[in-house]
Amino acid sequence: MKRTLLSLAIVSLSPITHADEIEKIVVIAPMQTPITLTTDTKAVRQPLPAQDGADLLSSIAGFSLIKKGGASADPVFRGMAGSRIAIIANNGQTLGGCGSRMDPPTAYITPQSYDTLKVIKGPQTVLYGPGNSAATVVFERENERLAKSEVIGFTNAVLSSQGRHSVNSDIKAGNERGYARIAANYSDADDYEDGNGTKVHSAYERWNIDTEFAYTPSDDAFYSITYGVSDGEVAYADRMMDGSLFDRENIGLNIKLSSLSSLIEELTFNAYYNYVDHIMDNHSLRPFVANMMMKTPTSSNPDRKTYGAKLTLTSEINAQHPFIYGVDYQANEHRNRVSRDQFNNPVETMPRQIDAEFRQLGVFAEFEYQLSQTSQWVSGLRIDDWQSEDHRTMISAMMSMKPNPTALQTRDDTLFSGFSRYQAQSENSSYFVGFGVTERFPDYWEVVGGSRGSETSISAFNVDTEKTVQLDAGLVKQFKDINVNFSVFYNQIDDYLLIDNMFEKMNMMSKVTRNIDAETLGFEGEVMWQASKALQLTGSINYVKGNNLTDNLALAQQPPLQLRIASNYQLSDKWQLGGLVRLVQHQHRVAIGQGNIAGQDVTTTAGFGTLSLNTNYQYSDTLQLSAGIDNVLDKTYAEHLSRSGAAVSGFDQIDRVNERDGRSGQILTGAFNRILR
């Protein structure tokens, strides 16, 4: 089969690298410490460069994706999804509107609009909000003061032979007194084909513009205002509707002050307002075909306002004992409106109805006690007061609308989270052993979205909160030519919030949110070997096993064992070759119909292996050209967590949402970092 590699040159305006410092294509994200990973969001990557936040996370050991098509996948870490993973961007959260997770938080994030991605594993921090039992994911922008008058930034592009294109740019201009920054992206893609040549309903188009205006009067003071907008449309292969509107608006205020007094070393204050307006319909991106569920063109238009603030103070009891503490607040309101006959009664003309509100006020503190020059004891605690209100008067249940038994009810909960760990470092190694506890308040999708009930009611509004206890340990070890990073964990989860679509209630199968007891255990590891001056080999492995202790079943939606082996070979000062082999084991431990808010187990899946190749050429100090092919062998496969296929007019019926074939050769990216000075 002929594969076409397309190329594209991008010219920048000043040096970015030296000839012996070629930017390698990233095929496995670096792991710096046993607890925290930090990676460059702008680095060239394979598989195909990330078009949203979930795509970027998929390159990190321990993360998997629940795929629906070409975009808007839901990330999973250590077998946990949804609000068990906190997604922070621009110091705030953007919560999606779709009750069926068309628009998870990562769908509104363009990774290259940020400078770094930080992942904190498990409940080993309390600084970024409540309930982060699986991980905390933070997309960050640098806020350092410019040393002089300059313009810095980057531009790159992606071009694929299957119709994927994107252009990214991030430019900062200013001086030591302040700067203005604008980051913009446009990306689109046609429907892709799987290894069998079957076309998958998966096209998308998206764009974003994010701006920042900063005032930096000194090295100890930073003030900024941010404003961003974005929109797009996405076709889905797993359902009867597509997303025709992903309108986002973000406003943020960020203040950072240092060296304030002998008592307070640093103060940071962040406030944000995020609004998403989302439309899903069965007629904009596919031919309308009437069926028993939707006899006329239908549109659903949820929206969500999320706003909040956080004040963080850093004090030093002495030079060796930092103390970080503060308070945070978040509120969000979810509304919806639905038209069952879009052409005669457009959804845009209908009034919106509030269905739920959530509010959270938390206080938190983290303290590091220096045991010696090479070891510390770190502990944290947070207390959160939660309040939610159910505004639904009617609920869809058993194929009809029924009065909501929890209509206008308010629930209040006070929840606790905390951790404690011992960590130590030496010249060539570091390790930690930690213990964490977190109580998680049910999210919108578990108690309101999806029209699910509980085991005893048609409303799930009063299901119990989820409690997770985690034991965690990790090690980073550096030898002469080899770096090793390994972490292992065990979770005991009481009142785990399980989404069960095959629960027998009143002699029929019902969709419910249930509290069960569960456990998960697993590990992530990475080995990097500098085999020679020219050859670098990297391998990563991750595994998780989950048990539903209440039903004596496998815990649903757990990814199988995965191994990735990557190579980078330096042909010359300017030319580099690389490859990636990905091996995924079969998954036979399933619980059909059970899962989380993003997906349910469909069937067992076979294992698979894929091969990807790439090359990178440093044309000049300011221009880097990269090209690659994903899935070189045209393997037909679907990720275990991916959703089942839906009948879409004009497309062959598929059982699962398969991945793209190997005919998507692409130029990966162009110039990086400093393009102007």
Side-chain angles (χ1 to χ4, degrees), residues 86-100:
I87 307 293
I88 312 294
N90 193 27
N91 299 305
Q93 287 188 293
T94 299
L95 301 176
C98 175
S100 299

Side-chain angles (χ1 to χ4, degrees), residues 270-512:
N270 312 113
Y272 63 92
Y273 168 82
N274 291 321
Y275 175 72
V276 297
D277 190 7
H278 174 57
I279 291 180
M280 39 193 163
D281 64 52
N282 59 2
H283 53 84
S284 294
L285 304 180
R286 67 178 72 188
F288 170 70
V289 177
N291 56 44
M292 292 297 293
M293 297 286 293
M294 300 179 184
K295 299 181 180 180
T296 55
T298 300
S299 296
S300 178
N301 183 200
D303 73 346
R304 195 163 191 168
K305 300 174 183 177
T306 306
Y307 54 91
K310 181 169 77 169
L311 174 67
T312 304
L313 302 172
T314 301
S315 299
E316 290 187 353
I317 297 177
N318 57 47
Q320 296 180 326
H321 303 309
F323 183 44
I324 305 173
Y325 53 101
V327 58
D328 54 25
Y329 174 79
Q330 186 197 99
N332 67 84
E333 174 188 281
H334 188 279
R335 303 184 299 178
N336 200 9
R337 54 185 178 183
V338 179
S339 171
R340 305 294 181 186
D341 187 359
Q342 174 66 19
F343 295 160
N344 295 312
N345 187 21
V347 72
E348 294 83 359
T349 65
M350 303 177 68
R352 299 184 190 267
Q353 302 292 328
I354 299 175
D355 57 8
E357 289 183 277
F358 294 80
R359 288 181 290 276
Q360 166 263 325
L361 175 65
V363 293
F364 57 87
E366 283 191 9
F367 178 64
E368 179 179 312
Y369 185 79
Q370 194 81 21
L371 297 170
S372 69
Q373 290 185 345
T374 60
S375 62
Q376 307 84 35
W377 197 278
V378 185
S379 298
L381 175 68
R382 70 173 295 127
I383 304 172
D384 292 283
D385 181 69
W386 279 92
Q387 185 178 88
S388 64
E389 298 176 30
D390 188 351
H391 290 272
R392 300 168 298 166
T393 57
M394 305 292 288
I395 294 180
S396 176
M398 293 177 284
M399 306 298 292
S400 64
M401 298 301 294
K402 297 183 178 298
N404 177 15
T406 58
L408 305 180
Q409 282 190 15
T410 298
R411 63 176 289 179
D412 292 276
D413 289 278
T414 299
L415 305 183
F416 297 84
S417 300
F419 71 92
S420 188
R421 70 173 178 267
Y422 172 79
Q423 60 189 36
Q425 309 83 33
S426 67
E427 183 178 350
N428 57 8
S429 67
S430 68
Y431 68 91
F432 85 98
V433 178
F435 171 81
V437 178
T438 182
E439 294 184 275
R440 186 177 68 86
F441 193 79
D443 60 37
Y444 170 83
W445 297 272
E446 290 164 334
V447 296
V448 176
S451 299
R452 300 181 186 93
S454 68
E455 294 186 26
T456 58
S457 171
I458 62 172
S459 170
F461 185 68
N462 287 318
V463 294
D464 290 337
T465 58
E466 184 176 283
K467 301 92 177 174
T468 299
V469 177
Q470 177 171 293
L471 298 176
D472 208 356
L475 168 71
V476 173
K477 181 74 173 179
Q478 181 176 353
F479 301 93
K480 181 180 179 181
D481 299 317
I482 298 176
N483 291 337
V484 177
N485 192 321
F486 187 79
S487 59
V488 62
F489 66 92
Y490 172 79
N491 281 318
Q492 178 181 309
I493 313 170
D494 295 335
D495 294 320
Y496 177 91
L497 287 160
L498 179 75
I499 304 301
D500 192 341
N501 286 349
M502 299 184 68
F503 184 74
E504 187 173 344
K505 184 169 66 172
M506 299 179 64
N507 298 319
M508 64 183 299
M509 294 296 179
S510 301
K511 297 181 179 181
V512 302

Side-chain angles (χ1 to χ4, degrees), residues 19-20 22 534 569-577 616-617:
D20 60 350
I22 293 177
Y569 186 75
Q570 201 74 43
L571 286 173
S572 67
D573 288 344
K574 291 181 175 292
W575 203 289
Q576 170 251 330
L577 296 177
N616 189 47
Y617 181 67

Side-chain angles (χ1 to χ4, degrees), residues 41 45 47-57 110-112 164 166 168 185 206:
T41 61
R45 293 178 183 271
L48 195 65
Q51 55 83 27
D52 66 13
D55 266 4
L56 179 60
L57 290 172
T110 302
Q112 295 189 20
R164 175 174 170 176
S166 72
N168 299 277
N185 162 271
R206 62 196 307 265

Side-chain angles (χ1 to χ4, degrees), residues 50 52-59 64-65 72-75 104 106-107 109 111 139:
D52 66 13
D55 266 4
L56 179 60
L57 290 172
S58 69
S59 67
S64 305
L65 297 183
S72 301
D74 250 291
T106 48
I109 294 174
F139 290 86

Side-chain angles (χ1 to χ4, degrees), residues 120-244:
I120 305 169
K121 301 177 182 181
Q124 286 294 316
T125 182
V126 295
L127 302 181
Y128 296 95
N132 314 333
S133 52
T136 301
V137 175
V138 186
F139 290 86
E140 296 179 310
R141 294 191 176 107
E142 294 179 356
N143 55 16
E144 293 182 0
R145 188 186 191 201
L146 296 179
K148 59 182 179 179
S149 295
E150 58 184 341
V151 180
I152 58 176
F154 90 106
T155 300
N156 70 16
V158 173
L159 181 62
S160 165
S161 59
Q162 279 200 352
R164 175 174 170 176
H165 322 87
S166 72
V167 178
N168 299 277
S169 184
D170 186 356
I171 306 296
K172 181 191 293 187
N175 55 34
E176 63 274 13
R177 300 291 294 175
Y179 62 80
R181 179 176 183 173
I182 181 168
N185 162 271
Y186 174 82
S187 61
D188 65 1
D190 297 336
D191 298 316
Y192 66 78
E193 294 181 0
D194 66 13
N196 291 325
T198 302
K199 186 170 287 190
V200 177
H201 187 57
S202 56
Y204 65 83
E205 180 179 15
R206 62 196 307 265
W207 62 267
N208 77 281
I209 299 175
D210 289 281
T211 61
E212 181 179 19
F213 303 93
Y215 173 53
T216 56
S218 70
D219 291 339
D220 295 327
F222 173 84
Y223 308 85
S224 80
I225 295 176
T226 61
Y227 179 74
V229 292
S230 63
D231 198 1
E233 58 183 31
V234 179
Y236 293 100
D238 70 317
R239 60 194 70 196
M240 295 183 292
M241 303 179 85
D242 302 308
S244 58

